[in-house]
């Protein structure tokens, strides 16, 4: 597969995450935000199965993005390409562990949902740590190796990466600060702009020419 076709594939995969991401990380987890989560889970095992299915789809997409991004970026900077891919694979590894937590919940009939769904949800903030590094590296690569104005998407990615980092620190560190939370939320808006922009740029072959 040549470079242009790989960019097209990665662009499509990125856009698929725009749909899958909110479902897997927001919509489905919110369904289990109930008083008696064990009882709810035992009565809605199909919902857990759907959640596992979406997680597996996301993991599959992430693996392909990691591989193809490395092939695209290594033509510009081998070390940066390797670091960018490695940090995304670290995200995948944590996502796999999170999916195992859901499988344990499913096979237990939902009896331990209060423990393992919480592990899964906390795991999201764990994988955001290497993902924040990945997004910053991607932003640097965009700014450094894109000749057109599309390179400025790199700034949005770098700011968004900092947003992921702050979001994880706040949740994992149990920091109760409205200011901290507001800053991370504002920065996370940039990552949406940056990632969707990069996806479109890849589709149009406007980045990493």
């Amino acid at each position: 597969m040549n470079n242009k076709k790989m960019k097209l594939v990665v662009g499509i995969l990125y856009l698929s995450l725009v749909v899958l991401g909110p479902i897997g990380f927001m919509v489905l987890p919110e369904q289990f935000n109930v008083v008696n989560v064990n009882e709810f889970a035992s009565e809605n095992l199909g919902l857990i199965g759907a959640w596992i299915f979406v997680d597996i789809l996301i993991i599959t997409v992430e693996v392909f993005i990691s591989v193809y991004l490395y092939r695209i970026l290594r033509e510009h900077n081998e070390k940066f390409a390797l670091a960018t891919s490695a940090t995304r694979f670290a995200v995948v590894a944590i996502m796999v562990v999170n999916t195992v937590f859901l499988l344990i919940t499913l096979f237990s009939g939902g009896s331990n949902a209060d423990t393992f769904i919480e592990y899964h949800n906390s795991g999201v903030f764990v994988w955001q740590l290497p993902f924040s590094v990945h997004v910053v590296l991607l932003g640097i690569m965009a700014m450094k190796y894109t000749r057109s104005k599309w390179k400025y998407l790199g700034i949005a990615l770098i700011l968004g990466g900092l947003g992921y980092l702050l979001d994880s620190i706040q949740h994992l560190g149990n920091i109760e600060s409205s200011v901290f939370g507001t800053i991370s939320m504002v920065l996370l808006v940039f990552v949406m702009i940056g990632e969707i922009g990069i996806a479109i740029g890849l589709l149009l072959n406007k980045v990493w020419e």
Side-chain angles (χ1 to χ4, degrees):
M1 187 183 296
N2 62 37
N3 195 277
K4 190 173 182 180
K5 286 182 179 178
M6 278 193 287
K7 287 181 182 179
L8 181 64
V9 171
V10 175
I12 292 170
L13 291 174
Y14 256 116
L15 290 179
S16 74
L17 290 177
V18 174
V19 177
L20 293 172
I23 294 172
F25 304 129
M26 296 171 65
V27 176
L28 289 171
E30 185 60 30
Q31 304 307 306
F32 292 85
N33 187 18
V34 295
V35 176
N36 193 332
V37 66
N38 288 354
E39 181 181 343
F40 180 82
S42 65
E43 295 173 353
N44 294 275
L45 293 177
L47 199 57
I48 297 175
W51 194 354
I52 292 168
F53 177 70
V54 172
D55 268 13
I56 291 172
L57 283 179
I58 291 172
I59 289 167
T60 303
V61 169
E62 290 287 355
V63 168
F64 279 105
I65 288 177
S66 300
V67 171
Y68 287 137
L69 265 183
Y70 170 71
R71 292 180 181 177
I72 292 166
L73 298 177
R74 70 180 176 182
E75 295 184 5
H76 301 283
N77 189 310
E78 177 78 25
K79 290 182 179 179
F80 261 89
L82 187 60
T84 303
S85 182
T87 47
R88 195 146 195 150
F89 269 118
V91 172
V92 170
I94 298 167
M95 285 182 173
V96 169
V97 174
N98 283 353
T99 304
V100 171
F101 291 147
L102 291 182
L103 284 167
I104 292 171
T105 304
L106 180 65
F107 291 138
S108 72
S111 63
N112 52 19
D114 56 342
T115 299
F116 287 99
I117 285 181
E118 180 58 30
Y119 285 167
H120 178 283
N121 293 341
S122 295
V124 172
F125 298 107
V126 175
W127 67 247
Q128 280 188 178
L129 294 172
F131 193 65
S132 67
V133 178
H134 168 81
V135 173
V136 169
L137 290 172
L138 206 60
I140 293 171
M141 290 288 285
M143 291 184 66
K144 208 171 179 185
Y145 300 106
T146 301
R147 292 187 295 271
S148 65
K149 291 182 180 180
W150 288 78
K151 68 182 179 180
Y152 295 113
L153 287 170
I155 297 173
L157 288 171
I158 292 170
L159 291 173
L162 295 175
Y164 275 122
L165 179 62
L166 293 178
D167 192 43
S168 288
I169 291 172
Q170 182 179 21
H171 285 87
L172 295 175
N174 293 316
I175 299 172
E176 295 183 7
S177 169
S178 58
V179 174
F180 201 97
T182 300
I183 293 173
S184 64
M185 284 181 66
V186 170
L187 291 175
L188 286 172
V189 172
F190 284 100
V191 84
M192 290 175 60
I193 296 169
E195 291 203 297
I196 293 174
I198 284 293
I200 296 171
L202 285 164
L203 290 172
L204 300 176
N205 197 28
K206 296 293 185 180
V207 291
W208 303 306
E209 308 99 310

